[in-house]
Amino acid sequence: MREHTLPDESDTANRRRAGRPRSVILDHELIARAALKLLAEGGYAAFTMSALARSLSVSPSALYNHVNSKQELMQWIQELVMAGVDSSVFATLPLNEALFEWAQTYRDVFAEHAPLIPLIAVLPVSESPRTLEMYEEVAGGFVRAGHDQAAIVPAIVALESFIFGSALDATAPLDIFDPGQYTGKLPQFEGALEAQRATGKNSADAAFLTGLRAIIAGLLSTAAG
Amino acid sequence: MREHTLPDESDTANRRRAGRPRSVILDHELIARAALKLLAEGGYAAFTMSALARSLSVSPSALYNHVNSKQELMQWIQELVMAGVDSSVFATLPLNEALFEWAQTYRDVFAEHAPLIPLIAVLPVSESPRTLEMYEEVAGGFVRAGHDQAAIVPAIVALESFIFGSALDATAPLDIFDPGQYTGKLPQFEGALEAQRATGKNSADAAFLTGLRAIIAGLLSTAAG
DNA sequence: ACCTGAACACCGTTCAAGT
DNA sequence: ACCTGAACACCGTTCAAGT
């Protein structure tokens, strides 16, 4: 997919550099990117060490010269993915707007890499400097807005929970709510479903925006000052 | 664990029933319960068909006489787990209180079975009558409260996203936010972390309750009437 | 330093053979 | 009808052997 055919190109390129025959073919970044590509294209099921090795034109065991385990690879990917989340907005926008922008990039990034959610949501943050930096910026935003100090971490966690949950939901099949054989037996729910469909809006997106506005408003009104 | 040693007991019991030597040893419910127990005790990694077979004193291949695939088994489990969610409150309490109670049982049930979240969050609902019933009751609550018809499904999805995300978060290691080697470099975040710790409250629970109040308040204030 | 290929202990699932 | 045991095509990971 896309315009690059990484494995072959880099292989050749590396071999061509005369005088540096052993220059790096595989590195940290290259491996993580290839893994991410695999994940994006085929989901978690497609992300095997064998498939990764194949996509890099190398044997599976060769990968273990560069990474200690699949789990460690996951952490590299976390780092890579978190780079896509824009938390710079906290320096320039008022808290409520900054939260709104930040949450959207955060959710979009993870909706693209849904298989990572259950893993990253539970991954310790200590090995991911980018994630920590993000927390620092978000926390700074709350502090400057005069938010109650003890309520900041719960607020961030609540937002993140909503974001991860929404990213998960964004990958659900579109017909996830189809009542199937039970059609006609759920008047209230089916009515609501129909009304929502009539708006023509994507259900997952509508839910995310509605919920995001609600939770931000709620958090800032109850615990500010 | 618990008081039952299911496999042996049912085995013996079944053999004893004279005249019905082939009466069911394994059934739907028994298998699903054993699987759920495995999941609760050892997480998703412990949930293998072999381990399940062992816990039922049966060979792995025997399971396939009762279930077509591990995926189908997951759907049985979904059904079993959803039974733990109490949505009867919508018939008796005002919407905001009902949502509050419902969301808590929902989150607690899934926090106990976290490995199911990524799977169930994305599982079509059409094969799970209990899940559909739940939606019917929740939707009914919104309707009776005079909520805008087209906003009901997004509201439910937003709440569910928050609930799933929070359940996922509830299973994260307690020290997930430990900055590790970066300690001292994140003043705002570490300050907030310290203030939260000083409250003595469980961070995940505090976040869930704060967020839940916020999102319910937000949803009911913006889109009611 | 980095690769290969064989090997190990697993997976989920199928299927012939038994009762 | 329901079970067993062998088998298949996979996993992630290790390790001796090569260059």
Side-chain angles (χ1 to χ4, degrees):
Chain A
M1 301 286 140
R2 309 292 158 112
E3 69 283 6
H4 43 237
T5 47
L6 274 179
D8 296 72
E9 277 181 8
S10 64
D11 237 358
T12 317
N14 276 304
R15 290 214 190 89
R16 277 209 197 113
R17 290 191 220 168
R20 295 178 62 197
R22 335 177 150 226
S23 66
V24 236
I25 297 186
L26 297 181
D27 70 352
H28 212 100
E29 179 91 2
L30 197 63
I31 294 177
R33 285 206 182 283
L36 202 53
K37 195 173 158 193
L38 233 43
L39 241 358
E41 285 170 9
Y44 190 71
F47 174 37
T48 67
M49 295 301 270
S50 292
L52 179 58
R54 200 178 320 119
S55 84
L56 292 162
S57 307
V58 107
S59 83
S61 51
L63 295 172
Y64 290 87
N65 287 306
H66 301 93
V67 68
N68 287 315
S69 64
K70 199 180 178 181
Q71 174 71 19
E72 186 179 282
L73 221 181
M74 291 296 317
Q75 295 187 357
W76 296 0
I77 294 175
Q78 175 184 22
E79 194 59 9
L80 207 56
V81 166
M82 289 305 287
V85 179
D86 179 17
S87 50
S88 70
V89 284
F90 290 94
T92 55
L93 295 177
L95 183 59
N96 63 341
E97 290 174 37
L99 286 171
F100 197 71
E101 297 299 319
W102 164 74
Q104 285 188 82
T105 68
Y106 203 163
R107 180 255 196 177
D108 288 347
V109 159
F110 276 92
E112 270 175 52
H113 305 290
L116 294 177
I117 298 170
L119 301 144
I120 288 188
V122 160
L123 226 48
V125 112
S126 53
E127 303 299 328
S128 177
R130 269 201 247 260
T131 308
L132 284 168
E133 270 172 48
M134 179 189 79
Y135 285 133
E136 178 66 5
E137 297 188 76
V138 181
F142 275 104
V143 169
R144 283 189 300 278
H147 208 77
D148 171 22
Q149 181 90 336
I152 293 177
V153 169
I156 295 176
V157 172
L159 281 162
E160 252 187 332
S161 295
F162 176 68
I163 289 163
F164 282 132
S166 298
L168 218 46
D169 180 65
T171 68
L174 282 177
D175 61 343
I176 189 173
F177 286 126
D178 186 344
Q181 55 176 315
Y182 300 93
T183 304
K185 296 185 176 174
L186 309 158
Q188 315 276 27
F189 181 58
E190 291 177 55
L193 213 49
E194 198 40 59
Q196 200 286 321
R197 279 196 191 119
T199 65
K201 287 182 201 155
N202 176 304
S203 161
D205 292 346
F208 177 64
L209 290 175
T210 308
L212 183 57
R213 277 191 209 99
I215 196 167
I216 290 176
L219 287 174
L220 297 191
S221 75
T222 57
Chain B
M1 304 284 139
R2 306 293 160 113
E3 68 284 6
H4 42 236
T5 47
L6 276 179
D8 295 71
E9 278 181 7
S10 65
D11 238 358
T12 316
N14 275 304
R15 288 211 192 92
R16 278 209 196 112
R17 288 191 222 170
R20 295 178 60 198
R22 337 178 149 224
S23 66
V24 233
I25 298 187
L26 296 180
D27 71 351
H28 212 95
E29 179 92 2
L30 197 64
I31 294 177
R33 286 206 183 282
L36 202 53
K37 195 173 156 191
L38 233 46
L39 240 357
E41 285 169 10
Y44 190 71
F47 176 35
T48 68
M49 295 302 269
S50 294
L52 179 58
R54 200 177 321 120
S55 84
L56 292 163
S57 306
V58 109
S59 84
S61 51
L63 295 172
Y64 290 87
N65 286 305
H66 301 92
V67 67
N68 287 316
S69 64
K70 198 179 179 181
Q71 174 73 18
E72 186 180 282
L73 188 57
M74 292 295 319
Q75 294 187 357
W76 295 0
I77 295 176
Q78 174 184 24
E79 193 61 6
L80 208 55
V81 166
M82 288 305 287
V85 179
D86 179 17
S87 50
S88 70
V89 286
F90 290 94
T92 56
L93 296 177
L95 183 58
N96 63 342
E97 291 173 36
L99 286 172
F100 197 70
E101 296 300 319
W102 164 75
Q104 284 188 81
T105 69
Y106 204 164
R107 180 255 196 180
D108 289 348
V109 159
F110 276 93
E112 271 175 51
H113 305 289
L116 294 177
I117 299 170
L119 301 144
I120 289 188
V122 160
L123 227 49
V125 111
S126 52
E127 302 299 327
S128 177
R130 270 201 244 264
T131 308
L132 284 168
E133 271 172 47
M134 179 189 79
Y135 286 133
E136 178 66 5
E137 298 188 74
V138 181
F142 275 104
V143 168
R144 285 190 298 278
H147 208 77
D148 171 23
Q149 181 91 334
I152 293 178
V153 169
I156 294 176
V157 172
L159 281 162
E160 252 186 332
S161 296
F162 176 68
I163 289 164
F164 282 132
S166 297
L168 217 47
D169 180 64
T171 68
L174 283 177
D175 60 344
I176 190 174
F177 286 127
D178 185 345
Q181 56 175 314
Y182 299 94
T183 305
K185 296 187 175 173
L186 310 159
Q188 315 275 27
F189 182 57
E190 291 177 56
L193 213 48
E194 198 40 58
Q196 200 285 319
R197 280 193 191 120
T199 66
K201 286 182 202 155
N202 176 304
S203 161
D205 291 345
F208 177 64
L209 290 175
T210 307
L212 183 57
R213 276 191 211 100
I215 196 168
I216 289 177
L219 286 174
L220 296 190
S221 77
T222 56

